[in-house]
Amino acid sequence: MAELPIVRTIAGLREQVRAWRAGGLSVGFVPTMGALHEGHLALIRQARGLADRTVCSIFVNPTQFAPTEDLDRYPRQEARDAELLATEGCDLLFAPTPAEMYPPGFATRIQVAGPTDGLESDSRPHFFGGVALVVAKLLNQVQADVAVFGEKDYQQLLTVRRMARDLDIPTQIVGGSTVRDAHGLALSSRNAYLNDAELSVARRLNVILKQAGLAALSGAPVGQAEAQAAEALLAAGFDRVDYVALRRAEDLGIFPGDRLGAPARILAAAWLGGTRLIDNMAVE
Amino acid sequence: MAELPIVRTIAGLREQVRAWRAGGLSVGFVPTMGALHEGHLALIRQARGLADRTVCSIFVNPTQFAPTEDLDRYPRQEARDAELLATEGCDLLFAPTPAEMYPPGFATRIQVAGPTDGLESDSRPHFFGGVALVVAKLLNQVQADVAVFGEKDYQQLLTVRRMARDLDIPTQIVGGSTVRDAHGLALSSRNAYLNDAELSVARRLNVILKQAGLAALSGAPVGQAEAQAAEALLAAGFDRVDYVALRRAEDLGIFPGDRLGAPARILAAAWLGGTRLIDNMAVE
């Protein structure tokens, strides 16, 4: 297993990508915030299947964290991440510093309406602006043929796809399936914050969402299925529920008349102590 | 002289650029709103000197016009423009429709702080957001090595340069000198709105700005030089002055202590009837 090359500058990244392109190779890209788990590695494998060379970025992006959020305690473990990426056959790790990404005088912001409305934005109003900005930068830096984003962050995937299309960024945006543990818990870097008791509660999230989806499929009004799922999450031990929402999968639009239409997606965010977990799945 | 190929779709544009790239050719780009005059043609010649192939775009961008502005009456004369471009050796005209640029569901906006503060933004608060958006799109569509923007729109040039750097768009942004008539009037598509009497007044703009710059260079306080220039414009027959400003050339920052520092730029916007004219020049 070859050691994974790491570049920390945009110039270094571009030099490597240019060399690949000159050799006629296509490029796949997986942007991450590090603290890699099996979910990320599945995206790397997916990218490897779509292009000749694969770039992974690790950058804990300050512009998508609010001052009250967990930017400082977000897990950072680059050496371990680099080993995992090498094992998966990733070809290059791009790990820029905040100063490389946001140099003095930085003055540009991006807003995406539509898919960013409600849900995550209700709790984290600056989140998708920060995500759209850093992803636009990363996509322009890497100039990949294809970039893979996890469906775990479903609203983020739709936001990135909309932004990339609107700004004509010439990289195809592809979604990657959520990886779950044996109990169905969606893998997340933030699961590392959970103690054993919280982990048992967290594993109820996917089950309750699945049940709510089935209830709506069986004819329950959308609002009722959502409310019952929120109650079930609190009963299971979650401390607070930000939202449970059954939405149009395509654009997260609300179903008219409180009746499910197809294709649908159920999405939720809930708190366990100081940890906020999200999950979502197709309803079918 | 070969006829100028015109493409109206992003796909068609990319196909041509990809073919050039495959042949090892570099690409220069000049975005315009059409109604081409000698000022634009000088930018085309500059781009031709910087790259192997030159793309010009003509798109009257609705997102940079306020509802009260001259979007509908903005001059459109594509056939004549295409002839001029062919004469100059331009290789491709990209003339997309509004629907190609802003398809249904379009949801993304870009803001650039810093160089966009004040001056044009005081009169046209949505202008630079619209410019940054359409230029980001055009740069990502063309994927040129270099793009040339006229210094006539100096604040716009700084805004585009800042946006392209912040978003890591891999196209070099180059400024092109303002072309003037025999009386020093900066060429502008909007000069076509002026009658003969107004044209005589318009030709005083560059003279008065030059005098104000010389006054500040000779030690006059910046605020005094600006105020005297504004008075001189009204006395010359302008109906209204939006601003006359002596600023740092690099970032349009205000000089501390009302004293000129180098390098400086003087910029102005003033009205003649229903026509708004802008001009600027280095103070040296």
Side-chain angles (χ1 to χ4, degrees):
Chain A
M1 180 181 90
E3 203 175 318
L4 182 69
I6 303 180
V7 291
R8 303 200 183 274
T9 64
I10 300 164
L13 169 71
R14 287 189 164 146
E15 194 180 340
Q16 177 59 81
V17 172
R18 205 176 296 124
W20 286 334
R21 290 237 173 268
L25 300 171
S26 62
V27 179
F29 174 45
V30 180
T32 81
M33 298 211 301
L36 302 182
H37 51 65
E38 185 54 31
H40 299 103
L41 302 182
L43 303 180
I44 298 286
R45 288 192 286 275
Q46 189 172 349
R48 288 193 69 200
L50 295 167
D52 301 316
R53 291 289 180 272
T54 302
V55 177
C56 177
S57 68
I58 295 182
F59 181 63
V60 183
N61 174 39
T63 69
Q64 73 194 62
F65 286 79
T68 56
E69 291 182 337
D70 58 345
L71 173 62
D72 289 334
R73 74 165 183 146
Y74 198 88
R76 287 165 172 85
Q77 45 192 43
E78 186 186 283
R80 184 177 165 280
D81 288 344
E83 272 179 46
L84 290 169
L85 290 169
T87 309
E88 292 297 339
C90 177
D91 298 288
L92 185 70
L93 171 55
F94 177 50
T97 61
E100 178 77 0
M101 292 293 278
Y102 301 109
F106 194 95
T108 302
R109 292 287 174 272
I110 296 179
Q111 272 86 44
V112 185
T116 70
D117 293 345
L119 306 180
E120 287 299 294
S121 293
D122 288 341
S123 308
R124 311 178 73 189
H126 303 299
F127 179 64
F128 287 119
V131 167
L133 179 61
V134 77
V135 172
K137 286 175 62 66
L138 287 165
L139 292 175
N140 283 333
Q141 288 162 3
V142 180
Q143 297 272 308
D145 298 274
V146 58
V148 186
F149 291 78
E151 289 183 350
K152 162 78 164 28
D153 297 283
Y154 190 80
Q155 193 177 8
Q156 171 177 287
L157 169 62
L158 295 193
T159 300
V160 165
R161 191 173 274 153
R162 178 81 266 174
M163 180 274 295
R165 190 165 61 175
D166 283 354
L167 297 186
D168 302 296
I169 293 175
T171 300
Q172 189 195 350
I173 308 299
V174 169
S177 302
T178 302
V179 177
R180 299 175 181 280
D181 74 6
H183 306 267
L185 173 64
L187 299 194
S188 164
S189 305
R190 290 189 171 100
N191 292 352
Y193 301 152
L194 303 175
N195 62 35
D196 285 353
E198 290 170 333
L199 198 59
S200 302
V201 178
R203 286 173 170 151
R204 297 288 302 154
L205 176 54
N206 74 95
V207 179
I208 289 167
L209 291 186
K210 206 171 297 167
Q211 288 168 343
L214 289 173
L217 279 177
S218 307
V222 163
Q224 183 190 308
E226 292 170 343
Q228 284 177 351
E231 280 167 37
L233 288 171
L234 295 173
F238 279 92
D239 296 298
R240 204 166 91 225
V241 177
D242 280 349
Y243 61 84
V244 176
L246 279 150
R247 296 294 183 89
R248 281 203 307 247
E250 183 195 353
D251 59 2
L252 300 181
I254 292 171
F255 290 114
D258 216 24
R259 290 290 159 184
L260 207 65
R265 197 106 190 160
I266 186 163
L267 310 93
W271 290 81
L272 264 174
T275 304
R276 186 174 185 274
L277 299 179
I278 62 173
D279 197 2
N280 73 87
M281 57 193 68
V283 176
E284 54 196 7
Chain B
M1 182 182 89
E3 203 175 319
L4 182 70
I6 304 180
V7 292
R8 302 199 183 274
T9 64
I10 300 163
L13 170 71
R14 287 188 163 146
E15 194 179 342
Q16 177 59 81
V17 172
R18 206 176 296 124
W20 286 335
R21 291 237 171 270
L25 299 171
S26 62
V27 179
F29 174 46
V30 180
T32 80
M33 299 210 300
L36 303 182
H37 51 65
E38 184 56 31
H40 299 103
L41 302 182
L43 303 180
I44 298 286
R45 288 193 286 275
Q46 188 172 348
R48 288 192 67 199
L50 294 168
D52 300 315
R53 291 289 179 273
T54 302
V55 177
C56 178
S57 68
I58 295 181
F59 181 62
V60 182
N61 173 39
T63 68
Q64 73 194 64
F65 286 79
T68 55
E69 291 182 337
D70 58 347
L71 173 63
D72 289 333
R73 74 165 182 146
Y74 197 88
R76 287 167 172 85
Q77 45 193 42
E78 186 185 286
R80 185 176 166 280
D81 288 344
E83 271 178 46
L84 289 169
L85 290 170
T87 308
E88 292 298 338
C90 178
D91 297 288
L92 185 69
L93 171 57
F94 176 49
T97 62
E100 178 77 1
M101 293 293 278
Y102 301 109
F106 194 96
T108 302
R109 293 288 175 270
I110 296 180
Q111 272 87 43
V112 184
T116 69
D117 294 345
L119 306 181
E120 286 300 295
S121 292
D122 289 340
S123 308
R124 311 180 72 189
H126 302 298
F127 178 66
F128 288 118
V131 167
L133 179 61
V134 78
V135 171
K137 286 174 62 66
L138 287 166
L139 292 175
N140 282 333
Q141 289 162 2
V142 180
Q143 296 272 306
D145 298 274
V146 58
V148 186
F149 291 79
E151 289 184 349
K152 162 77 164 28
D153 296 283
Y154 190 80
Q155 193 176 8
Q156 171 177 286
L157 168 62
L158 295 193
T159 299
V160 165
R161 189 174 275 153
R162 178 81 267 176
M163 180 275 293
R165 190 163 63 174
D166 283 354
L167 297 186
D168 302 295
I169 293 175
T171 300
Q172 190 195 350
I173 307 299
V174 169
S177 301
T178 302
V179 176
R180 300 175 180 280
D181 74 5
H183 306 266
L185 173 65
L187 299 195
S188 165
S189 304
R190 289 190 171 101
N191 292 352
Y193 301 153
L194 304 174
N195 62 34
D196 285 353
E198 290 170 332
L199 199 58
S200 301
V201 178
R203 285 172 171 154
R204 297 289 301 154
L205 175 55
N206 74 96
V207 178
I208 291 166
L209 291 186
K210 205 171 298 166
Q211 288 168 342
L214 290 174
L217 279 176
S218 309
V222 163
Q224 184 189 309
E226 292 170 344
Q228 284 177 351
E231 280 169 39
L233 288 170
L234 295 173
F238 279 92
D239 295 297
R240 203 167 90 225
V241 177
D242 280 348
Y243 61 85
V244 177
L246 279 151
R247 296 293 183 89
R248 282 203 308 247
E250 183 196 353
D251 59 2
L252 300 182
I254 293 172
F255 290 115
D258 216 25
R259 290 290 159 184
L260 206 66
R265 197 105 190 159
I266 186 164
L267 310 94
W271 291 80
L272 265 174
T275 304
R276 186 174 183 275
L277 298 180
I278 62 173
D279 198 1
N280 72 87
M281 57 192 68
V283 176
E284 54 196 6

